[in-house]
Amino acid sequence: MNTEVGKVYLVGAGPGNPELMTLKALRILEKAEVILYDALLDSSFLEYFPSSSIVHYVGKRAGQHSATQEEIQDLIVRYSLQGKTVVRLKGGDPFVFGRGGEELLTLRKHKIPYEIIPGVSALSAGSSGAGFPLTHRGLSRQVLIMDGHTVLQEDTDWKWFAEFKGTIALFMGTSSIVQISKKLIDNGASPLLPVALVENASLKNQKTTVTNLGRIIEEGLSKQSSGPGIIYIGPVVHLIGENPELDTQGFASQGEEV
């Protein structure tokens, strides 16, 4: 019986397209004895799983949880204590709304050896696929990442958010974007501030919807697919256009260096 503790790898699989998985992630995946994987969007990821590995699907989607976080952590610990090489394969990057921190603390608690393999986050894949940068000289020199599930439940400084001079990226926010838009406008943000909803980042069926805060309050912002979406708020969204002359309130105008 193997009494040596196995090593655990917290691996970022990237935003959905297997071609965006790193070489290191692929090499580690190929030697995995146990794989616990998320909803990775593209079924071709399964082709990279060793046929001899023990595979558990533990993905989460809104209203469709297959395993609790505690159950996932119990599986990681159990298999590693059996001496197996465990890969926890997570969508995007493990430490960007991936709950990788909770799994990391569990591994440290049980003194289990581990390694973190970062992945391409949907944060950058979504904006790149839609055709606009997260940062741009004269428009945005900072990025704010928000959690749409909890931001309305916390003691949020909405005036600070409304005055934020950069790009706001909202994960898991499609159900709360109307309320968030209203709070931003009520605290001083322009109704014309552009917004982009990017669904299925990096995949062939990626979809981008462009609107603004004011229209969202009037019309809402509905997803066009069942896949995950990220919402981007800020003047950089204007750069999606072929001729982005920015003449909206508070943004660069024609002739101003951007």
Side-chain angles (χ1 to χ4, degrees):
M1 181 176 180
N2 188 357
T3 58
E4 183 179 350
V5 177
K7 187 171 182 178
V8 174
Y9 296 88
L10 303 182
V11 179
N17 187 331
E19 293 185 351
L20 292 179
M21 185 166 52
T22 66
L23 288 174
K24 186 166 186 177
L26 179 60
R27 284 198 294 266
I28 290 172
L29 192 58
E30 289 172 342
K31 68 177 183 180
E33 295 176 282
V34 178
I35 301 172
L36 309 175
Y37 74 99
D38 280 348
L40 297 174
L41 305 185
D42 193 311
S43 60
S44 62
F45 268 101
L46 302 179
E47 299 173 6
Y48 299 98
F49 292 4
S51 59
S52 59
S53 62
I54 300 169
V55 177
H56 290 271
Y57 170 71
V58 293
K60 296 182 179 69
R61 283 285 177 262
Q64 300 178 0
H65 291 192
S66 66
T68 66
Q69 187 60 34
E70 290 72 20
E71 289 169 340
I72 294 171
Q73 289 163 194
D74 286 344
L75 285 171
I76 293 173
V77 171
R78 185 206 313 167
Y79 281 117
S80 61
L81 293 180
Q82 293 174 8
K84 297 186 182 299
T85 299
V86 180
V87 169
R88 175 68 175 101
L89 190 63
K90 307 170 78 66
D93 182 275
F95 286 172
V96 180
F97 290 123
R99 303 190 77 166
E102 297 173 48
E103 294 166 0
L104 172 65
L105 293 176
T106 295
L107 294 171
R108 288 178 177 171
K109 176 182 177 181
H110 292 275
K111 296 181 170 54
I112 295 170
Y114 64 86
E115 186 173 347
I116 314 299
I117 312 301
V120 177
S121 173
L123 170 69
S124 54
S127 62
S128 297
F132 65 91
L134 291 171
T135 60
H136 188 77
R137 185 175 60 176
L139 294 181
S140 171
R141 292 190 180 274
Q142 51 191 336
V143 180
L144 172 66
I145 307 174
M146 298 168 61
D147 172 8
H149 282 338
T150 60
V151 69
L152 292 171
Q153 304 167 10
E154 298 173 342
D155 186 18
T156 302
D157 186 347
W158 288 102
K159 183 171 177 56
W160 186 89
F161 281 159
E163 295 175 350
F164 183 73
K165 302 300 182 185
T167 305
I168 296 175
L170 186 65
F171 282 67
M172 302 165 287
T174 52
S175 62
S176 56
I177 186 58
V178 173
Q179 293 170 277
I180 290 172
S181 298
K182 188 175 188 306
K183 285 185 176 294
L184 289 173
I185 291 175
D186 288 347
N187 284 273
S190 169
L192 299 177
L193 190 63
V195 179
L197 167 61
V198 180
E199 303 171 58
N200 298 310
S202 81
L203 300 179
K204 291 181 180 179
N205 61 340
Q206 175 171 313
K207 296 182 181 297
T208 304
T209 303
V210 179
T211 181
N212 60 44
L213 293 179
R215 285 206 299 270
I216 289 174
I217 292 176
E218 296 175 358
E219 306 168 3
L221 180 58
S222 299
K223 292 178 63 179
Q224 302 180 52
S225 72
S226 59
I230 299 179
I231 296 171
Y232 301 88
I233 305 171
V236 291
V237 172
H238 269 311
L239 298 178
I240 290 177
E242 294 182 1
N243 185 26
E245 298 292 350
L246 305 184
D247 56 4
T248 314
Q249 289 183 13
F251 308 149
S253 60
Q254 295 183 24
E256 184 176 346
E257 184 186 51
V258 295

